Structures are given as C-alpha cells and as structure tokens.
Amino acid sequence: QVQFVESGGGLVQPGGSLRLSCAASGSIFSGIDMAWYRQVPGKQRELVASISGVGITDYVDSVKGRFTISRVNNKKTLYLQMSSLQPQDTAAYYCKRKYFLDSWGQGTQVTVAP
C-alpha cells in the first residue's frame, strides 16, 4: 500500500513561515498530480494546493500568494512552503495523490498563534 509521511509542522507566530514535507513510499509519484489538504476539527478536509505532473499549480483562494507547492520527483517528496501565516491557517495538513483514493496519513499539525 502507499504511504505518505508528513512533517515540518509546528507552532509559529502570525506572519511567520513554515515548510511542510511529504515523503511518499510504495506509490507512483512522478507524472502524478499531488495535493496538500488541511482539516480543522469539526470541518471537512479542504484541498489547499495541488501540483500536476508537469508542474502546474493550483491553490485555494485563501492561500494564494502565500503558499507554494513544489515537488522533487526523484526523491518522491512533496513540499508546501507556507509564508505570511495567519491563525486561520491552523489545521492538520495532509498530502496524497490528488486523483487516487489513498488512505490518509498521520498529518502534521500547524498552529499559528501569538
């Protein structure tokens, strides 16, 4: 089965930056669309950002201009560079292949607070 291990989360102050990493194993990676999601308790998971196999990116409106999704295919790693973080960005962040019904990983918690 495929596995995704998220890391890089933590507690940051508003306006701060954080880079999340997602290590994939046992999965097709290169040429496959990947995505970052986030979930706040009591709400459904939200698609935050995606990147296609040819590098085309897309973002939810609330993070445009602040987040950057990228990938290193030969390392099977996905990244989410998060800047100008706001309290509203507080959530558990997850990664997976965008169009595959993968199981969710453990996620990594991002908390933005003074």
Side-chain angles (χ1 to χ4, degrees), residues 19-46:
R19 188 177 75 162
L20 307 184
S21 298
C22 169
S25 63
S27 67
I28 300 172
F29 191 86
S30 61
I32 302 297
D33 291 14
M34 294 290 297
W36 282 98
Y37 302 78
R38 65 186 180 187
Q39 185 173 33
V40 177
K43 299 182 66 177
Q44 296 296 120
R45 279 186 177 87
E46 173 189 35

Side-chain angles (χ1 to χ4, degrees), residues 48-91:
V48 178
S50 64
I51 183 168
S52 76
V54 294
I56 299 173
T57 60
D58 194 23
Y59 303 89
V60 68
D61 286 346
S62 60
V63 309
K64 287 181 178 177
R66 300 188 298 115
F67 290 11
T68 301
I69 187 171
S70 62
R71 64 196 297 164
V72 179
N73 287 337
N74 61 4
K75 300 295 190 295
K76 301 181 71 173
T77 303
L78 183 73
Y79 299 98
L80 185 67
Q81 179 65 51
M82 311 165 70
S83 301
S84 300
L85 284 163
Q86 305 167 8
Q88 296 83 355
D89 297 316
T90 296

